[in-house]
Amino acid sequence: MWQSEVRVDLDAIRENVARLKSGTSAELMAVVKGDGYGHGMVPAARAALDAGADWLGVCTLDEALALRQQGVSAPVLAWLLDPGLPLHDGVAVGVDLGCASLTQLDEMIEAGRRADRPARIHLKIDTGLARGGATVADWPALLEAAAKAQADGLVEVVGVWSHFVYADSPGHPTTDRQLAVFHEGLEMVERAGLRPRYRHLANSAATLTRPDTHFDLVRPGLAVYGLSPIAGEQFGLRPAMTARARVMLTKRVPPGTGVSYGHTYLTEAESNLAVVPLGYADGVPRHASNTGPVQLAGKRRTISGRVCMDQFVIDCGDDEVAAGDVATLFGSGADGEPTADDWAEAVGTINYEIVTRFGGVRVPRVYDGERPRAQVAP
């Protein structure tokens, strides 16, 4: 008997990737950073590859190495790389590296020497996000150094890339300005004598709405998991995650009963309370206090009082509830349950944050749609 669980529908991930692939002529990188947006990095990666993803994208070197250690051999790009990391470990197993500065380039050259093979790098230009990437002013120097390193056989410049600011608002003028800067950056790449195979810019929103940004490779993340980056539009995607728990305890209480810490909720009448063993240590935002939607006993209800570290309470009024009944926080919405979008709206955040919170140490992930894998001889 399970107490709480996150169910992940791998077939939904496959369907979403297939849908995204059908809308572009570019290759597709499924972004599986952040433990697959909370869905489990390795199972999500394998499902995406099953459906035709060509690449996988992660932030950290550790994420990339974990994929390799689990036998995932597809092309992988890692791009959030602090100074001093053992980049040679990634180079040795064919992990591509995002490069945004002369200092990073020097580290990647050294990593290639240690691994006895050129580092495969993707040069990143900052087109307006002011986060990762070389500034437009620093771009020519980075290109010159990378071209020389490639000519010397020290690196292989595989890609050039950037990242959008407002792609979730397809008509925002910043998107067009960034695209123009990216084109100018590509012209400089050509003048530097570099001919990278991949130019990539499009995230989920741009993959779905801006085909003029697809170039050679698109990088959807959120959409892989069936969540839309654009409010009010679903694009035929199917959410893959369901979070739920069994009611631990029920009790009948009189009117005016204060519920949970601080008594921020008082019962208006004699009521049945249901205690659900999930809290902020499991991924439930504390901001969901008195606002978080939950489906229980055939109805949508709202968390009553403060979310605690390990539990929350629902006032069910006169409705019959019993220990062991299933409380669904969010899912695909197909059975009327709340969705991650509903939760995001309720707590004032984005659907990305909701799903990445769940599936921690105490809440096991259960996978539907798993496929047998060929055994690899030791």
Side-chain angles (χ1 to χ4, degrees):
M1 176 71 74
W2 55 272
Q3 175 167 299
S4 60
E5 66 176 12
V6 167
R7 297 197 76 89
V8 177
D9 186 346
L10 298 176
D11 284 333
I13 291 176
R14 294 181 186 104
E15 290 173 18
N16 297 329
V17 170
R19 181 173 292 275
L20 292 163
K21 282 277 288 183
S22 71
T24 183
S25 59
E27 292 186 26
L28 185 142
M29 176 187 292
V31 179
V32 294
K33 65 178 182 175
D35 202 10
Y37 287 51
H39 294 69
M41 179 177 67
V42 173
R46 287 175 170 157
L49 294 170
D50 287 343
D54 306 283
W55 285 73
L56 298 171
V58 297
C59 272
T60 70
L61 178 63
D62 283 346
E63 288 174 323
L65 294 177
L67 287 170
R68 289 290 186 255
Q69 288 161 4
Q70 291 297 316
V72 177
S73 59
V76 176
L77 172 64
W79 57 73
L80 201 66
L81 306 171
D82 285 350
L85 291 175
L87 298 180
H88 58 281
D89 289 343
V91 174
V93 292
V95 173
D96 287 23
L97 305 173
C99 179
S101 70
L102 292 173
T103 300
Q104 283 190 325
L105 177 62
D106 287 342
E107 289 206 28
M108 291 169 192
I109 290 171
E110 179 59 25
R113 288 195 179 105
R114 292 188 63 180
D116 198 27
R117 60 190 290 186
R120 289 168 50 94
I121 65 174
H122 295 234
L123 301 174
K124 187 175 187 182
I125 180 172
D126 179 5
T127 55
L129 188 57
R131 200 176 62 177
T135 65
V136 172
D138 292 337
W139 187 238
L142 179 59
L143 293 178
E144 180 181 0
K148 182 179 185 305
Q150 179 166 274
D152 292 342
L154 301 175
V155 300
E156 180 184 355
V157 180
V158 177
V160 173
W161 68 301
S162 190
H163 196 71
F164 279 127
V165 176
Y166 278 110
D168 54 348
S169 180
H172 198 284
T174 298
T175 300
D176 289 330
R177 288 199 294 269
Q178 284 191 267
L179 182 58
V181 173
F182 191 63
H183 278 293
E184 291 169 5
L186 292 175
E187 291 174 4
M188 295 181 198
V189 170
E190 189 170 346
R191 289 198 295 270
L194 292 168
R195 301 291 185 271
R197 167 68 182 83
Y198 295 99
R199 302 160 299 165
H200 48 109
L201 181 61
N203 57 2
S204 285
T207 299
L208 290 162
T209 66
R210 293 290 302 256
D212 57 326
T213 68
H214 288 190
F215 294 95
D216 310 299
L217 179 66
V218 295
R219 306 188 311 265
L222 187 72
V224 167
Y225 308 98
L227 299 176
S228 174
I230 299 174
E233 298 189 49
Q234 192 58 30
F235 301 100
L237 302 169
R238 185 156 69 92
M241 181 186 287
T242 298
R244 61 185 192 164
R246 293 186 186 275
V247 172
M248 178 181 69
L249 176 72
T250 63
K251 59 181 68 178
R252 187 78 172 170
V253 299
T257 298
V259 177
S260 195
Y261 289 127
H263 284 182
T264 62
Y265 180 88
L266 299 175
T267 58
E268 294 181 358
E270 189 174 3
S271 298
N272 293 321
L273 300 183
V275 181
V276 180
L278 280 176
Y280 56 77
D282 307 299
V284 182
R286 192 167 182 270
H287 281 85
S289 301
N290 291 307
T291 63
V294 180
Q295 181 169 284
L296 173 61
K299 289 185 181 178
R300 278 208 196 187
R301 309 177 192 275
T302 302
I303 291 175
S304 304
R306 286 187 181 156
V307 173
C308 308
M309 182 181 289
D310 314 297
Q311 56 200 292
F312 61 80
V313 180
I314 300 173
D315 181 351
C316 299
D318 284 327
D319 293 338
E320 292 294 326
V321 290
D325 287 353
V326 175
T328 300
L329 281 70
F330 61 86
S332 70
D335 295 322
E337 74 275 18
T339 64
D341 291 312
D342 294 328
W343 268 76
E345 183 177 355
V347 303
T349 187
I350 54 177
N351 50 13
Y352 299 70
E353 183 180 353
I354 297 301
V355 292
T356 55
R357 282 175 170 269
F358 282 84
V361 173
R362 296 194 302 185
V363 184
R365 293 194 190 99
V366 180
Y367 291 98
D368 297 317
E370 285 190 293
R371 294 180 179 176
R373 300 285 157 185
Q375 295 297 312
V376 179

